[in-house]
């Protein structure tokens, strides 16, 4: 069940990604329920899965793509976001 806090947090994450990366697609899923009892969940930070397609990823290695994503939400890491699983694609890689 998604609480208002969780929905607001996800909206803020999406807004930051959209501002920083102008994605063609941005699918963010809250996977926190599967991690209840996990040590990181105790801090209140959520677990999220992200699939993002952005032209800014063209020609970049995976580590640089992830860096761009993390840079856009850096101040939310470790307190609001405990884990972020990322699939970052360039438009040319999407079939």
């Amino acid at each position: 069940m998604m609480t208002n806090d969780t929905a607001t947090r996800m909206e803020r994450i999406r807004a930051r990604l959209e501002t920083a990366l102008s994605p063609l697609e941005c699918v963010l899923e809250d996977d926190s329920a599967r991690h209840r009892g996990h040590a990181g969940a105790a801090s209140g930070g959520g677990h999220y899965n992200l699939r993002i397609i952005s032209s800014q990823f063209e020609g970049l290695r995976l580590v640089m793509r992830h860096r761009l994503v993390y840079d856009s939400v850096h101040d939310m890491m470790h307190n609001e976001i405990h884990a972020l699983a990322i699939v970052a694609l360039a438009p040319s890689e999407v079939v």
Side-chain angles (χ1 to χ4, degrees):
M1 183 169 131
M2 193 177 331
T3 66
N4 236 5
D5 271 352
T6 304
T8 302
R9 181 183 297 169
M10 288 181 66
E11 289 169 9
R12 288 196 332 268
I13 294 168
R14 269 195 204 94
R16 289 171 187 223
L17 292 167
E18 289 171 6
T19 299
L21 301 170
S22 304
L24 302 173
E25 177 182 294
C26 181
V27 178
L28 182 65
E29 298 172 338
D30 185 351
D31 197 27
S32 300
R34 290 187 51 221
H35 299 274
R36 280 205 178 95
H38 179 270
S43 70
H47 289 71
Y48 300 96
N49 297 321
L50 173 66
R51 175 183 159 90
I52 186 166
I53 301 170
S54 173
S55 59
Q56 292 189 39
F57 298 147
E58 288 290 353
L60 295 182
R61 291 175 178 234
L62 184 62
V63 69
M64 290 308 300
R65 295 174 186 199
H66 285 211
R67 173 61 53 213
L68 289 174
V69 170
Y70 284 123
D71 285 351
S72 65
V73 294
H74 72 279
D75 63 323
M76 298 179 78
M77 295 302 298
H78 306 296
N79 52 21
E80 296 185 77
I81 301 170
H82 174 70
L84 183 61
I86 303 168
V87 174
L89 302 169
S92 64
E93 298 168 324
V94 180
V95 188

